[in-house]
Amino acid sequence: MKRFFAIGIILSAVFFTACEKKETLSFVNQNMVNNTCTNCPKVTIDLPQAQPENEITSKINQDINKFVINILNYSEEKTTDSLDAAIEIFRSDYKKLKERFPEDIIPWEATINGTISFQNTLFTSIKIESYIFTGGAHGYGSITFLNYDTKTGKALTAEDLFTDKGAFVDYAEKLLREEEKIKPDANINSTGFMFENDNFHLPNSIGFDEKGIVLIYNPYEISAYSDGLTKIEIPLEEATQFMKPEWLSEAH
């Protein structure tokens, strides 16, 4: 597994610090699956759910569930907006294959766990770790961050978070090149990466924790499965220069 760390001194002033005011929402983890089905694949799902129930928390919970539904979507012919229904489809598809090939099908597995990696009164970053096995040589594990505006429930993109996405992309590429010892004028894929069109890009998974910004390229995203995931961590004192002002301090 490749790991890249930008080392620095943690700011004495607290970055992303919440004011002493009541937060608009909170999260409680809920185990959403009961593995009592006979001859079914093992499914374990534990996700943060926003509360109390209102329009904002409903929007966040629906988006989290939609993400998990897409992970479970083995059969592209069957779509649903219900997480419970997605679990049943996953189980049903396994049973049908097992009935056709009783000696050949290895039990499927779906394990999805979500945790709050960062939260203040402005936004929340949720880390979702998943592992799916539906046959073949190996399963697929990934880590994805989902970021939400806690005032509106909106899912946040890189454009929402950073003042200058281009500058942030350049900085992340600089860190990667330094760690991999790729010269500034060398092809970004010269050490074995597989960036599309030989151009560096941000990963699909961008999140936050108490130390700063976390970038994760999951297997197959820029390298082979055997290489594992690639992780870039940008500490607080470096992260602040790229963040939009509205995410850096609380409105009193």
Side-chain angles (χ1 to χ4, degrees), residues 45 66 91 110 117 121 124 134 140 147 156-158 169 177 184 224 251:
I45 300 178
K66 180 180 179 180
R91 287 172 167 168
S117 62
T121 62
T124 299
T134 54
Y140 181 75
N147 304 301
L156 299 172
T157 65
V169 170
R177 285 180 177 272

Side-chain angles (χ1 to χ4, degrees), residues 10 15 209-213 233-237:
I10 300 301
F15 176 49
D209 60 21
E210 295 298 334
K211 295 180 179 180
I213 299 176
E233 294 182 332
I234 303 176
L236 305 184
E237 68 274 18

